[in-house]
Amino acid sequence: MNMVMGVIGYPIKHSLSPEMHRSAYKNLHIDYAYHAFEVSPANLKNAIDGVRGLGLKGLNVTIPHKVEVMAHLDEIDDLAVEIGAVNTIVNVDGKLKGYNTDGEGYLKSLKEYVNKDIRNLNTLIIGAGGAARAVALTLTKDGVNNLVITNRTLSKAEDLAERCAKFSEATVQTIKDIETNLQDFDIIINTTSIGMSPNIDEMPIKLDNLKEGTFVSDLIYTPFKTKLLIEAENKGGKVLNGLDMFVYQGALAFEKWTGLQAPTDIMRSTVLNHLKGVK
Ligand code: NAP
């Protein structure tokens, strides 16, 4: 059976999802197609109606549509409702269901990297935007129970902590307090866009008080190592970028559409080669 999937965003031309998914289809010798569709906000409803009309199997959804797309779907998974955003749509017999695989993709990459039970580790999330909501809610749902959230706009961190309370208690601290208490944390996760290309000289927090051996993770993967990760590594931190999160969020979508296990090694090396400029 020939199936068509894709990604919608605005703009979309820099997305690495088409290459990543096509490499998986090729590796498994399946005749599926994946396209990037540039959809303006004004055309979002038409695009989603088109998924039903044309019988596409599913879509990934990226900026700026992750929240607004929810109004056009038939059903939304519980975790995506909590997060308030959808990044994956699955078409089952004309009914469109929305999921959010960002948080689960991140959690899988973090667990693999830390390689021990993370539930009782002291964990800090920097940021309170869309990616932070996905990560914080997925972590607390999974049992992480010592979560602290900090953000430039503290009211947003407070709102996110309240949402997390449904699963597990999360508290809020100012960035200034965090910088003083940094040695308290075992895991530090940057979910803000600070440090992303082209602003590669910026850092979301100062690391003067970082404890040796702390896991420092950044959702960003362009640059491959942000200034935060470079400084953390210099201070004896163990660092993880956002590449595996990207691969695993895509792999989870792949599995929902195809029912097959995603070849994540192939998907990762495809993205890596593109980041290095290798075709
Ligand atoms: P978002 O909803 O716009 O949230 C942005 C966050 O960054 C907010 O907490 C915001 O703080 C903070 N921020 C932005 N500029 C700042 C500045 N100059 N100073 C202080 N704080 C600042 O964005 P998002 O969708 O969550 O994405 C955040 C990052 O995650 C992006 O770099 C994105 O590429 C990355 N991401 C990666 C993956 C992956 O697969 N690896 C997936 C999703 C997202 P305020 O609340 O104070 O504005």
Side-chain angles (χ1 to χ4, degrees), residues 127-131 151-153 156 191-194 196 219 242 245-246:
N151 191 41
R152 171 179 64 179
T153 311
K156 286 198 201 165
T191 72
T192 77
S193 45
I194 304 173
M196 191 159 82
L219 268 51
M245 171 184 181
F246 178 69

Side-chain angles (χ1 to χ4, degrees), residues 167 180 216 265 278:
F167 301 119
T180 309
V216 181
D265 288 348
V278 181

Side-chain angles (χ1 to χ4, degrees), residues 131-204:
R133 287 203 306 275
V135 169
L137 285 156
T138 308
L139 259 59
T140 48
K141 189 170 182 226
D142 199 59
V144 168
N145 55 44
N146 294 323
L147 185 66
V148 177
I149 304 168
T150 192
N151 191 41
R152 171 179 64 179
T153 311
L154 210 60
S155 58
K156 286 198 201 165
E158 284 161 356
D159 174 68
L160 180 52
E162 264 174 47
R163 287 177 188 235
C164 291
K166 176 170 184 189
F167 301 119
S168 188
E169 196 195 359
T171 56
V172 170
Q173 288 185 29
T174 63
I175 291 179
K176 198 162 171 271
D177 285 345
I178 287 295
E179 288 176 340
T180 309
N181 305 330
L182 207 60
Q183 66 280 357
D184 293 349
F185 295 99
D186 306 304
I187 300 176
I188 296 171
I189 306 163
N190 175 40
T191 72
T192 77
S193 45
I194 304 173
M196 191 159 82
S197 296
N199 302 315
I200 59 169
D201 289 327
E202 294 174 6
M203 277 174 59

Side-chain angles (χ1 to χ4, degrees), residues 2-6 21-22 25 30-35 58 257:
N2 198 313
M3 293 208 293
V4 179
M5 278 67 74
H21 283 274
R22 287 173 195 156
Y25 306 156
I30 47 181
D31 186 19
Y32 296 169
Y34 190 106
H35 295 287
W257 296 325

Side-chain angles (χ1 to χ4, degrees), residues 217-247:
S217 155
D218 203 322
L219 268 51
I220 296 168
Y221 53 90
T222 52
F224 205 63
K225 245 185 221 172
T226 55
K227 188 172 182 199
L228 181 81
L229 295 191
I230 293 169
E231 285 212 3
E233 208 166 40
N234 288 340
K235 288 178 170 293
K238 298 174 185 166
V239 305
L240 172 70
N241 72 9
L243 176 65
D244 283 356
M245 171 184 181
F246 178 69
V247 171

